[in-house]
Amino acid sequence: MEALVAIAIGVLTAVGLYLTLRLRTFPVILGLTMLSYAVNIFLFTSGRLTQNRAPIIGTGETYADPLPQALVLTAIVISFGMTAVIMIMAIGGFLESGHDRVNMAEGNDEAAEDRA
Amino acid sequence: MSLALIAALPFLGALLPGLMIRAGRDACAAMTGSVTLLALVLLGLHAPAVLSGEVVQTRIEWLPALGLNATFFLDGLGLLFAGLILGIGLLIILYARFYLAKSDPMGQFYTYLMLFQGAMVGIVLSDNILLLLIFWELTSLSSFLLIGYWKHLPEGRQGARMALAVTGGGGLAMIAGMLILGNIAGSYDLTVILQHKDAIQASDWYLPALILILLGAFTKSAQFPFHFWLPHAMAAPTPVSAYLHSATMVKAGLFLMARMWPVLAGTPEWFWIVSTAGLVTMVMAAKIAFFKDDLKALLAFSTVSHLGLITMLLGFGTKAAATVAVFHIINHATFKAALFMTAGIVDHEAHTRDLKRLGGLRTLMPITFGIALLASLSMAGIPPLNGFLSKELMLEEAAHTTWITPWAMGVLATIGALFSVAYSFRFLAHGFLGPVRSDYPHKPHDPGPALWGAPAALALLVVVIGLFPMASVAWLVNAAASAVTGEAVAVKIYHWHGLEAVALWMSIAAVGGGLAMLGAYPRLRAIWDAAPRPEAKHIFDGIIGSLAATARASNDALHNSSLSRAIAVAVLAIAGAAALAFSGGMHLPGSRDLMPVPPLVAVIWAVMLLAAVAVPFLHRERVVALILVGVVGLLIAPFFVLMSAPDLALTQLSVEVVTILLMLLALNFLPKTTPVESPASRRLFDAGIAGIAGTGIGWLAWEMMTRTAAFEPISHFHLAQSKPGAGGTNVVNTILVDFRGYDTFGEIIVLGIAALAIYALSENLLRSPAVTRRLGLMRPEREAGDRHPMMLVVSTRLLLPMAMMVGVYIYLRGHNMPGGGFVSGLVFAIAYLMQYMASGYGWSHARQRYDHHVLIGWGVLIATLSGAGAWLFGLPFLTSGFEYVHLWPLEEFELATAAIFDLGVFLCVLGAVLLALASLSRLALRAGEVVNTRAYDIENPGEAR
């Protein structure tokens, strides 16, 4: 079981990173979503894997580690907030500039002109 | 406490002008002045104790572990400076009331002024050097605001920037120097440091610390070669120049040198650096002042020169010289502030400060002339005024100090005094004497007593101190000089030292030479104008420019605005560092028992992996990619169920639904496909990077999971205390709302801020004409036949109350069973979103009674109140109410406090999710989506189009 989880974490990370290396905003955001899946599972497994030992007092002798679960729970909610913010930024970028590239075009660097 | 109050009063007072300005300018000035007066009175109450030799102290522990405490102390030196700052501050507030024009925002001016005053008082009262450094930097910042007060003037902005760069930079150096001193002495308390003279002067770090601290003091007090910023800071309004650049801020450097005098002075290094810098500054600045035509520029260079004089005296390192330095600080503050205010009056009345356009003001402005006459004669060192007394003493000290040769110091000091006489007389002669002219920009006459009152009071002091030095200031000089030198000082100030006193002859030579110089002014001026001089501003601008260019070049080289490259570099660097760290350490093979694979999990795993691996190949069709990502996300939920994490499963499921909805909505405004841009080699390279990182993370996870933790997990505490301590059996929930309630509190605020940021961003987009145009063009090419199908509408209506009931149920059971505010909020959000989907945003929104912002606000407020409720019981913020369960009648309340907090979480999550999605929907409305008037389209499809 541990091997399966480790492989899943690895694959999700790799796919997520590959997508974040793309040149358009939407794949980058999808990639970040995939990465946050991987990170959340990774954090969760730091409590080690257990079966049928939900941390509800009175349901058994020993329990799964509740602390990583609590951390991951908030992380899931926050990653939604983060995704929503970068999504509106991506939309804004596209609507303002007419393209959805993540890299600034070389030679026609508006920000550089502003600085000058 | 009262010392801390004195330092805090101006800061509190800084809040008042903004409020009081609505009641008029007089009320505003009176209010500001009364705060300063109150601080002055409080200071005065301590004066008898300080004068009798006591040191008043106040100590407030803040971060004792770091040695950072709010400790204040008041000795003679502190009393002198605090008195100057508050006393002259009071006069400046009065003067500024009538100096500023109607169009100048006066509330702002007084706020800045009070901030500055508080920072200055803080410097002179601080006992802790870290605290002192904070106040020190605050003076740089507040003076930046004051110098740049007239924002429309480019000189004002440039002068403010230069002052900030120079004094702020010096302050940074000083921080390092002070920390070194603190380390040598083993304490950050000044009173302790001042007792470690031998340890500090014997240390190898003495010279670096000395240079760093002097950098701070010299930049602040405009000593050569950092003198150039002060004349440029004269772009400030005159009250600021009079206050900051003559009486107080520029003396902060002198204060620091005087304060550190007991531990730093007395060494050859101190003597050579400090007295040389002071001497050079004094002579050079006095010479420049003589040739300045702008009244304020003349006074500015004269100030630099006098600061140099005091620095030089401190540099001598003798008790007598330090006493003279203290005396001259008082005298200079009185005559120079009066002169600046006089220059301001001339500017105010004649509309010019140019000596070439002035002259003859003696008959037109007799009162102003009288004040200027007394103050500038004092500046020139003419008996019996106070400037004469301290200048005589200074010349006496200089004459008996050996600097390179026995006579060099005396000669140069006489030359400095000579220049000083020359520019003082030129100020009078070219400004006030001579015939009345007919071409002033504005016909000058004396202003009302409100404007000349403040300088007149100072001119009176000039005379009183000059005539009766022993009665008027000797006590203050004694107290301050005793504090500086650490020994009891009993100063004796005379007007007449006898014919054998060398200072008398030096004085006579200076006055004679100065008058001769004034007489030869036209010829000297021609030589001066012909001689080439380095312009400090150009040099400064060049240095700043080249620094900025270097920074930009290195920044451009490191960062070429390519996100992909930055990510690739970062990932490779992290992977490399991790590999290095892992290969360098030692580790044992994992010993933990592996878990068997349940068949169901194997199936889920295979489907999830398949979906994940398919994404890179199919991601150009964005809808397909989104669905695949959704599949992956949803399948993580059953994984959590099987791995004993029901709460996570619920959260993951509901968040996933909301996320996919958000992305689908967003895809409306983005291209639906991703073009092929990068070549195959680049894609292969990216895949390689991703593969390396994925392998590394997967392997790390494997290594972690196959081992037991090296330390006992802290969650034993949570498991044991969940029921007795927090009153709930669901440990994940009790951690969220009780044990780690503060984290959750912060998190819901972050979530609320994120949602508000989304709202603000979309609002901004809707205002941009380019965006509106583009949205208008974005008509959907193809629409579904039924935009609001009846089946969907009816079923979501039916589902709404059921979903809400589920939500309430999940919320209520949360403390003991899987569930809670997070999940419940998401369930509610989904129930609402279904209505949006079925009947359209516009239709649903029109029927919604509360704004989403309000939900977020109430959520945070309820969570805050439930946490603050613990204060009523004298307990820390967010203490759970379970403790009071057995006390009647609180039994009903005990379960409530955690549940109320969870209610706040619920409302905040609900509001945030809805606000985020609603913001996107508002863009859709702008894009031309028609608001339907009916819930569904079946009756009259034409209406919805």
Coordinates of all heavy atoms in Angstrom, one line a residue, chain B residues 831-890:
Chain B
A831 N -25.1 23.9 -2.5 CA -26.5 23.9 -2.7 C -26.9 25.2 -3.4 O -27.8 25.3 -4.3 CB -27.2 23.8 -1.3
Y832 N -26.3 26.3 -3.0 CA -26.6 27.6 -3.7 C -26.1 27.6 -5.1 O -26.7 28.1 -6.0 CB -25.9 28.8 -2.9 CG -26.7 29.2 -1.7 CD1 -26.2 29.1 -0.4 CD2 -28.0 29.7 -1.8 CE1 -26.9 29.5 0.7 CE2 -28.8 30.0 -0.7 CZ -28.2 30.0 0.5 OH -29.0 30.3 1.6
L833 N -24.9 27.1 -5.3 CA -24.3 27.1 -6.6 C -25.2 26.4 -7.6 O -25.3 26.7 -8.8 CB -22.9 26.5 -6.6 CG -21.9 27.3 -5.9 CD1 -20.5 26.6 -5.8 CD2 -21.7 28.7 -6.5
M834 N -25.8 25.3 -7.1 CA -26.7 24.6 -8.0 C -27.9 25.5 -8.5 O -28.3 25.4 -9.6 CB -27.3 23.4 -7.2 CG -26.2 22.3 -7.1 SD -26.9 20.7 -6.6 CE -27.8 21.0 -5.1
Q835 N -28.3 26.4 -7.6 CA -29.4 27.3 -8.1 C -28.9 28.2 -9.1 O -29.6 28.5 -10.1 CB -29.9 28.1 -6.9 CG -30.2 27.4 -5.6 CD -31.2 26.2 -5.9 OE1 -32.2 26.4 -6.6 NE2 -30.9 25.1 -5.3
Y836 N -27.6 28.7 -9.0 CA -27.0 29.5 -10.0 C -27.0 28.8 -11.3 O -27.3 29.4 -12.4 CB -25.6 29.9 -9.6 CG -25.5 30.9 -8.5 CD1 -26.6 31.4 -7.8 CD2 -24.2 31.4 -8.1 CE1 -26.5 32.3 -6.8 CE2 -24.1 32.4 -7.1 CZ -25.3 32.8 -6.5 OH -25.1 33.7 -5.5
M837 N -26.5 27.5 -11.2 CA -26.4 26.8 -12.5 C -27.7 26.6 -13.2 O -27.9 26.7 -14.4 CB -25.7 25.4 -12.2 CG -24.3 25.5 -11.9 SD -23.7 24.1 -11.0 CE -24.0 22.8 -12.2
A838 N -28.7 26.3 -12.3 CA -30.0 26.0 -12.9 C -30.7 27.2 -13.5 O -31.2 27.2 -14.6 CB -30.9 25.3 -11.8
S839 N -30.7 28.3 -12.7 CA -31.6 29.4 -13.1 C -30.8 30.6 -13.5 O -31.3 31.7 -13.8 CB -32.5 29.8 -12.0 OG -33.4 28.7 -11.8
G840 N -29.5 30.5 -13.5 CA -28.6 31.7 -13.9 C -28.3 32.6 -12.7 O -29.0 32.7 -11.7
Y841 N -27.1 33.2 -12.8 CA -26.6 34.0 -11.7 C -27.5 35.2 -11.5 O -27.9 35.5 -10.3 CB -25.2 34.5 -12.0 CG -24.7 35.5 -11.1 CD1 -24.3 35.2 -9.8 CD2 -24.6 36.9 -11.4 CE1 -23.9 36.1 -8.9 CE2 -24.2 37.8 -10.5 CZ -23.8 37.4 -9.3 OH -23.4 38.4 -8.4
G842 N -27.9 35.9 -12.5 CA -28.7 37.1 -12.4 C -30.0 36.9 -11.7 O -30.4 37.6 -10.8
W843 N -30.7 35.8 -12.1 CA -32.0 35.5 -11.5 C -31.8 35.1 -10.1 O -32.6 35.6 -9.2 CB -32.5 34.3 -12.3 CG -33.9 33.9 -11.9 CD1 -35.1 34.4 -12.5 CD2 -34.4 33.0 -10.9 NE1 -36.2 33.9 -11.9 CE2 -35.8 33.0 -10.9 CE3 -33.7 32.2 -10.0 CZ2 -36.5 32.3 -10.0 CZ3 -34.4 31.4 -9.1 CH2 -35.8 31.4 -9.1
S844 N -30.8 34.3 -9.8 CA -30.6 33.8 -8.4 C -30.2 35.0 -7.5 O -30.6 35.2 -6.4 CB -29.6 32.7 -8.3 OG -29.8 31.8 -9.2
H845 N -29.3 35.8 -8.1 CA -28.8 36.9 -7.2 C -29.9 37.9 -6.8 O -29.8 38.4 -5.7 CB -27.6 37.6 -8.0 CG -26.9 38.6 -7.1 ND1 -26.0 38.1 -6.2 CD2 -26.9 39.9 -7.1 CE1 -25.5 39.2 -5.6 NE2 -26.0 40.3 -6.1
A846 N -30.8 38.1 -7.7 CA -31.9 39.0 -7.5 C -32.7 38.6 -6.3 O -33.4 39.4 -5.6 CB -32.7 39.2 -8.7
R847 N -32.7 37.3 -6.0 CA -33.5 36.7 -4.9 C -32.7 36.5 -3.7 O -33.2 35.8 -2.7 CB -34.1 35.4 -5.4 CG -35.3 35.7 -6.3 CD -35.6 34.6 -7.3 NE -36.6 35.1 -8.2 CZ -36.4 35.9 -9.2 NH1 -35.2 36.4 -9.4 NH2 -37.4 36.3 -10.0
Q848 N -31.5 37.0 -3.6 CA -30.7 36.7 -2.5 C -30.7 37.9 -1.6 O -30.5 39.0 -2.0 CB -29.2 36.4 -3.0 CG -28.2 36.2 -2.0 CD -26.9 36.2 -2.6 OE1 -26.7 35.7 -3.7 NE2 -25.9 36.8 -2.0
R849 N -30.9 37.7 -0.3 CA -31.2 38.8 0.6 C -29.9 39.4 1.1 O -29.8 40.6 1.4 CB -32.1 38.4 1.7 CG -33.0 39.6 2.1 CD -33.9 39.2 3.2 NE -35.1 38.5 2.7 CZ -36.0 38.0 3.6 NH1 -35.9 38.3 4.9 NH2 -37.0 37.3 3.2
Y850 N -28.9 38.6 1.3 CA -27.6 39.1 2.0 C -26.5 39.0 1.0 O -26.4 38.0 0.2 CB -27.3 38.2 3.2 CG -28.4 38.2 4.2 CD1 -29.2 37.1 4.4 CD2 -28.7 39.3 5.0 CE1 -30.2 37.1 5.3 CE2 -29.7 39.4 5.9 CZ -30.5 38.2 6.1 OH -31.5 38.2 6.9
D851 N -25.6 40.0 1.1 CA -24.4 40.0 0.2 C -23.4 39.0 0.8 O -23.4 38.7 2.0 CB -23.8 41.4 0.2 CG -24.4 42.2 -0.9 OD1 -25.1 41.6 -1.8 OD2 -24.4 43.5 -0.8
H852 N -22.6 38.5 -0.1 CA -21.6 37.5 0.4 C -20.5 38.1 1.3 O -20.1 37.5 2.2 CB -20.9 36.9 -0.8 CG -21.8 36.3 -1.8 ND1 -22.8 35.5 -1.5 CD2 -21.9 36.6 -3.2 CE1 -23.5 35.2 -2.6 NE2 -23.0 35.8 -3.6
H853 N -20.2 39.4 1.0 CA -19.3 40.1 1.9 C -19.8 40.1 3.3 O -19.0 39.9 4.3 CB -19.1 41.6 1.5 CG -19.1 41.8 0.1 ND1 -20.2 41.6 -0.7 CD2 -18.2 42.3 -0.7 CE1 -20.0 42.0 -1.9 NE2 -18.7 42.4 -2.0
V854 N -21.1 40.3 3.4 CA -21.6 40.4 4.8 C -21.5 39.0 5.5 O -21.1 39.0 6.7 CB -23.1 40.7 4.7 CG1 -23.8 40.8 6.1 CG2 -23.3 42.0 3.9
L855 N -21.6 37.9 4.8 CA -21.4 36.6 5.4 C -20.0 36.5 5.9 O -19.8 36.0 7.0 CB -21.7 35.5 4.4 CG -23.1 35.3 3.9 CD1 -23.2 34.1 2.9 CD2 -24.0 34.9 5.2
I856 N -19.0 36.9 5.1 CA -17.6 36.8 5.5 C -17.4 37.7 6.8 O -16.8 37.2 7.7 CB -16.7 37.3 4.4 CG1 -16.8 36.4 3.2 CG2 -15.2 37.3 4.9 CD1 -16.0 36.9 2.0
G857 N -17.9 38.9 6.7 CA -17.8 39.8 7.8 C -18.4 39.2 9.1 O -17.7 39.1 10.2
W858 N -19.6 38.7 9.0 CA -20.2 38.1 10.2 C -19.4 36.9 10.7 O -19.3 36.7 11.9 CB -21.7 37.7 9.9 CG -22.6 38.8 10.1 CD1 -23.3 39.5 9.1 CD2 -23.0 39.4 11.3 NE1 -24.1 40.5 9.7 CE2 -23.9 40.4 11.0 CE3 -22.7 39.1 12.6 CZ2 -24.5 41.2 12.0 CZ3 -23.2 39.9 13.6 CH2 -24.1 41.0 13.3
G859 N -19.0 36.1 9.7 CA -18.2 34.9 10.1 C -17.0 35.2 11.0 O -16.8 34.7 12.1
V860 N -16.2 36.2 10.5 CA -15.0 36.6 11.2 C -15.4 37.2 12.6 O -14.8 37.0 13.6 CB -14.2 37.6 10.4 CG1 -13.0 38.1 11.2 CG2 -13.6 36.9 9.1
L861 N -16.5 38.0 12.5 CA -16.9 38.7 13.7 C -17.4 37.7 14.8 O -17.0 37.8 16.0 CB -18.1 39.7 13.4 CG -18.5 40.6 14.5 CD1 -17.3 41.6 14.7 CD2 -19.7 41.4 14.1
I862 N -18.2 36.7 14.4 CA -18.7 35.7 15.3 C -17.5 34.9 15.9 O -17.4 34.7 17.1 CB -19.7 34.8 14.6 CG1 -21.0 35.6 14.4 CG2 -20.0 33.6 15.5 CD1 -22.0 34.8 13.6
A863 N -16.6 34.5 15.0 CA -15.4 33.8 15.5 C -14.7 34.6 16.5 O -14.2 34.1 17.6 CB -14.5 33.4 14.3
T864 N -14.5 35.9 16.2 CA -13.8 36.8 17.1 C -14.5 36.9 18.5 O -13.9 36.8 19.5 CB -13.6 38.2 16.5 OG1 -13.2 38.1 15.2 CG2 -12.6 39.0 17.3
L865 N -15.8 37.1 18.4 CA -16.6 37.3 19.6 C -16.5 36.1 20.5 O -16.4 36.1 21.7 CB -18.0 37.7 19.3 CG -18.2 39.1 18.7 CD1 -19.6 39.4 18.4 CD2 -17.7 40.1 19.7
S866 N -16.7 34.9 19.8 CA -16.6 33.6 20.6 C -15.3 33.5 21.3 O -15.2 33.0 22.4 CB -16.9 32.5 19.7 OG -15.8 32.0 19.0
G867 N -14.2 33.9 20.6 CA -12.9 33.8 21.2 C -12.7 34.9 22.3 O -12.2 34.6 23.4
A868 N -13.2 36.1 22.0 CA -13.1 37.1 23.0 C -14.0 36.9 24.2 O -13.7 37.4 25.3 CB -13.5 38.5 22.4
G869 N -15.0 36.0 24.1 CA -15.9 35.7 25.2 C -15.1 35.2 26.4 O -15.4 35.4 27.5
A870 N -14.0 34.5 26.1 CA -13.1 33.9 27.1 C -12.6 35.0 28.0 O -12.3 34.7 29.2 CB -12.0 33.1 26.5
W871 N -12.4 36.2 27.5 CA -11.9 37.3 28.3 C -12.8 37.6 29.5 O -12.3 38.0 30.6 CB -11.7 38.5 27.5 CG -10.5 38.5 26.5 CD1 -9.4 37.7 26.7 CD2 -10.3 39.2 25.3 NE1 -8.6 37.9 25.6 CE2 -9.1 38.8 24.8 CE3 -11.1 40.2 24.7 CZ2 -8.6 39.4 23.6 CZ3 -10.6 40.7 23.5 CH2 -9.3 40.3 23.0
L872 N -14.1 37.4 29.3 CA -15.0 37.7 30.4 C -14.7 36.8 31.6 O -15.0 37.2 32.7 CB -16.4 37.5 29.9 CG -16.9 38.4 28.8 CD1 -18.4 38.0 28.4 CD2 -16.9 39.8 29.2
F873 N -14.1 35.7 31.3 CA -13.8 34.8 32.4 C -12.3 34.9 32.8 O -11.8 34.0 33.5 CB -14.1 33.4 32.0 CG -15.6 33.2 31.7 CD1 -16.0 33.3 30.4 CD2 -16.5 32.9 32.7 CE1 -17.3 33.2 30.1 CE2 -17.8 32.7 32.4 CZ -18.3 32.9 31.1
G874 N -11.7 35.9 32.3 CA -10.3 36.2 32.6 C -9.3 35.2 32.0 O -8.2 34.9 32.5
L875 N -9.8 34.6 30.9 CA -8.9 33.6 30.2 C -8.4 34.1 28.9 O -9.0 35.0 28.4 CB -9.8 32.3 30.0 CG -10.1 31.5 31.3 CD1 -11.3 30.6 31.0 CD2 -8.9 30.8 31.8
P876 N -7.3 33.5 28.4 CA -6.8 34.0 27.1 C -7.8 33.8 25.9 O -8.7 33.0 26.0 CB -5.6 33.1 26.9 CG -5.2 32.5 28.1 CD -6.5 32.4 28.9
F877 N -7.6 34.6 24.9 CA -8.4 34.6 23.7 C -8.6 33.2 23.2 O -7.6 32.4 23.2 CB -7.7 35.4 22.6 CG -8.5 35.7 21.4 CD1 -9.6 36.4 21.4 CD2 -8.0 35.2 20.2 CE1 -10.4 36.6 20.2 CE2 -8.7 35.4 19.0 CZ -9.9 36.1 19.0
L878 N -9.8 32.8 22.8 CA -10.1 31.5 22.2 C -10.1 30.4 23.1 O -10.0 29.2 22.7 CB -9.2 31.3 21.0 CG -9.7 31.9 19.6 CD1 -8.7 31.6 18.6 CD2 -11.0 31.4 19.2
T879 N -10.0 30.6 24.4 CA -10.1 29.5 25.3 C -11.5 28.9 25.2 O -12.5 29.6 25.3 CB -9.9 29.9 26.8 OG1 -8.7 30.7 26.8 CG2 -9.8 28.7 27.7
S880 N -11.6 27.6 25.1 CA -12.9 26.9 24.9 C -13.7 27.0 26.2 O -13.2 27.0 27.3 CB -12.6 25.5 24.5 OG -13.8 24.7 24.8
G881 N -15.0 27.1 26.0 CA -15.9 27.3 27.1 C -16.2 26.0 27.8 O -17.0 26.0 28.8
F882 N -15.6 24.9 27.4 CA -15.9 23.7 28.0 C -15.6 23.6 29.5 O -16.2 22.9 30.3 CB -15.2 22.5 27.3 CG -15.6 21.2 27.7 CD1 -16.9 20.7 27.4 CD2 -14.8 20.4 28.5 CE1 -17.3 19.4 27.8 CE2 -15.2 19.1 28.9 CZ -16.4 18.7 28.6
E883 N -14.6 24.4 29.9 CA -14.2 24.4 31.3 C -15.3 24.7 32.3 O -15.3 24.2 33.4 CB -13.1 25.4 31.5 CG -11.9 25.2 30.6 CD -11.0 24.2 31.2 OE1 -10.3 24.5 32.2 OE2 -10.9 23.1 30.7
Y884 N -16.3 25.4 31.9 CA -17.3 25.9 32.8 C -18.5 25.0 32.9 O -19.5 25.4 33.4 CB -17.7 27.3 32.5 CG -16.6 28.1 31.9 CD1 -16.7 28.5 30.6 CD2 -15.5 28.4 32.6 CE1 -15.7 29.3 30.0 CE2 -14.4 29.1 32.1 CZ -14.5 29.5 30.8 OH -13.5 30.3 30.2
V885 N -18.4 23.8 32.4 CA -19.6 23.0 32.2 C -20.3 22.7 33.5 O -21.5 22.7 33.5 CB -19.2 21.7 31.5 CG1 -18.2 20.9 32.3 CG2 -20.4 20.9 31.2
H886 N -19.6 22.5 34.6 CA -20.3 22.1 35.8 C -20.9 23.3 36.6 O -21.5 23.1 37.6 CB -19.4 21.3 36.7 CG -18.8 20.1 35.9 ND1 -19.6 19.1 35.4 CD2 -17.6 19.8 35.6 CE1 -18.9 18.2 34.8 NE2 -17.6 18.6 34.9
L887 N -20.6 24.5 36.1 CA -21.1 25.6 36.9 C -22.5 26.0 36.4 O -22.8 26.3 35.2 CB -20.2 26.8 36.7 CG -18.8 26.7 37.3 CD1 -18.0 27.9 36.9 CD2 -18.9 26.6 38.8
W888 N -23.5 26.0 37.3 CA -24.8 26.5 36.9 C -24.7 28.0 36.9 O -24.0 28.7 37.7 CB -25.8 26.1 38.0 CG -27.1 26.4 37.7 CD1 -28.0 25.6 37.0 CD2 -27.8 27.6 38.0 NE1 -29.2 26.3 36.9 CE2 -29.1 27.5 37.4 CE3 -27.5 28.8 38.6 CZ2 -30.1 28.5 37.5 CZ3 -28.4 29.8 38.7 CH2 -29.7 29.7 38.1
P889 N -25.3 28.7 35.9 CA -26.2 28.2 34.9 C -25.4 28.1 33.5 O -26.1 28.2 32.5 CB -27.2 29.3 34.8 CG -26.4 30.6 35.1 CD -25.2 30.2 35.9
L890 N -24.1 28.0 33.6 CA -23.4 28.0 32.3 C -23.4 26.7 31.6 O -22.9 26.6 30.5 CB -21.9 28.4 32.6 CG -21.7 29.9 33.1 CD1 -20.3 30.1 33.3 CD2 -22.3 30.9 32.1

